[in-house]
Amino acid sequence: MRRLTRVAEVRDLVAAERAAGKRVGFVPTMGFLHEGHLRLVDEARRRADVVVMSIFVNPLQFGPTEDLSRYPRDLEGDAGKAEARGVDALFVPEAHAIYPEPPRVVVSPRALAGRWEGAARPGHFEGVLTVVAKLFNIVQPHVAVFGQKDIQQATLVRAMVRDLDMPVEIVVSPTVREADGLAMSSRNSYLDPHERERALALSGALRAAETAHRSGVRSATQLEEIARGHLASAGIEDVDYVAIADPNTLEPLVHAEAGAIVALAARIGRTRLIDNVILGSP
Ligand code: PAF
């Protein structure tokens, strides 16, 4: 595996691979890799000849009171995991390689970013889309893989690629869970054992909504109440949202047919976690 820090090195590598007729797959990450990230690598590997992963904790997508400075980092551990999983090139730029100066032009999402995560984290998706657009321009992948756990991010990246005519195929890969159901996340490392136990209520709330949907409940209000009730009974009161939404527009739904998403965000202690499911999926 090659480890690259400069934009020009990535461009040269990808240009050579493309010239040799190779398909380039890309997995953008912020590091502190877990099995969820590594499954994205597997997915990219299935769809491309060469897999590039980036690790960059993007300051632009963190709000002033968020966890940028304490975001977990383990570059050497990550490099070992990426190499063992078959990543061909690991791009680990310093902040000044990506933002030599504060950007004067950014990618600004519209209404799609105003709800749910976007409402709870103003400016977050502008930061995400700006860095993803930059990384796409640097890596020039044929295909890029994102995780379903960040479903609004994946939806917005798809919208950006379509609206700005970016020649990248976007693949969304299912959320990977711990054996007890907790969605894998780098932020799980913040949880103490007691919080880790309480955090199970997030996937539990989603499962409760799924079970109700399977037994015929279609009312979004009812499904939301069921999920919120589950969180409340686990003592989780700091809930940013429970969304029953259209998977493409993320607009709230009145009736949730198969394919609708249930997404939620809640704080356990100081740690904010998100999770979602697609109703009616196996
Ligand atoms: O999902 C993430 O880890 C980040 O939002 C991404 C896509 C790497 C952009 O910084």
Side-chain angles (χ1 to χ4, degrees), residues 28-31 37 54 56 58 61 71 124 127-128 131-132 135 146 150 153:
T29 80
M30 299 206 301
H37 295 109
S54 63
F56 179 61
N58 172 36
Q61 69 189 70
Y71 196 83
H124 170 67
V128 168
V131 83
V132 171
L135 290 167
F146 292 81
D150 294 288
Q153 165 173 285

Side-chain angles (χ1 to χ4, degrees), residues 10-124:
V10 181
R11 287 230 167 92
D12 289 350
L13 177 134
V14 171
E17 298 292 357
R18 278 182 163 260
K22 299 283 168 58
R23 222 174 123 74
V24 178
F26 179 43
V27 179
T29 80
M30 299 206 301
F32 211 68
L33 302 181
H34 50 67
E35 183 61 22
H37 295 109
L38 300 173
R39 298 273 181 90
L40 306 182
V41 172
D42 297 345
E43 194 62 53
R45 168 66 59 212
R46 273 194 283 279
R47 294 160 186 270
D49 307 300
V50 180
V51 176
V52 180
M53 173 186 274
S54 63
I55 295 181
F56 179 61
V57 182
N58 172 36
L60 217 59
Q61 69 189 70
F62 288 79
T65 60
E66 292 184 356
D67 57 345
L68 173 62
S69 59
R70 69 174 189 130
Y71 196 83
R73 291 164 169 86
D74 176 19
L75 188 51
E76 289 319 309
D78 286 350
K81 289 178 191 166
E83 182 160 26
R85 203 60 166 240
V87 168
D88 298 294
L90 185 64
F91 178 41
V92 280
E94 296 286 347
H96 63 81
I98 298 294
Y99 303 115
E101 53 191 70
R104 281 162 295 181
V105 175
V106 293
V107 179
S108 180
R110 291 190 161 171
L112 207 52
R115 292 189 188 282
W116 320 126
E117 279 303 282
R121 305 183 65 189
H124 170 67

Side-chain angles (χ1 to χ4, degrees), residues 200-220:
L200 283 179
L202 272 74
S203 53
L206 296 172
R207 271 201 311 276
E210 274 182 313
T211 305
H213 189 261
R214 260 199 303 276
S215 70
V217 178
R218 293 290 178 271
S219 152

Side-chain angles (χ1 to χ4, degrees), residues 138-264:
I138 294 165
V139 177
Q140 303 200 3
H142 294 87
V143 56
V145 188
F146 292 81
Q148 184 194 314
K149 190 173 80 65
D150 294 288
I151 197 159
Q152 193 171 4
Q153 165 173 285
T155 307
L156 278 158
V157 168
R158 274 211 170 106
M160 173 180 77
V161 161
R162 189 189 54 232
D163 290 353
L164 302 184
D165 300 301
M166 296 179 170
V168 186
E169 179 194 350
I170 304 300
V171 172
V172 179
S173 183
T175 302
V176 181
R177 298 181 181 280
E178 305 285 357
D180 59 9
L182 182 69
M184 288 193 185
S185 164
S186 305
R187 289 188 168 99
N188 292 349
S189 64
Y190 298 147
L191 302 169
D192 67 27
H194 179 61
E195 292 171 337
R196 168 72 181 71
E197 191 59 36
R198 288 176 64 222
L200 283 179
L202 272 74
S203 53
L206 296 172
R207 271 201 311 276
E210 274 182 313
T211 305
H213 189 261
R214 260 199 303 276
S215 70
V217 178
R218 293 290 178 271
S219 152
T221 311
Q222 255 180 289
L223 291 168
E224 181 179 338
E225 275 168 14
I226 288 164
R228 281 189 183 273
H230 190 97
L231 292 170
S233 66
I236 295 175
E237 275 144 25
D238 199 351
V239 179
D240 275 348
Y241 60 84
V242 174
I244 316 292
D246 179 283
N248 300 310
T249 63
L250 299 177
E251 289 290 321
L253 293 170
V254 176
H255 298 288
E257 299 303 336
I261 63 165
V262 185
L264 50 80

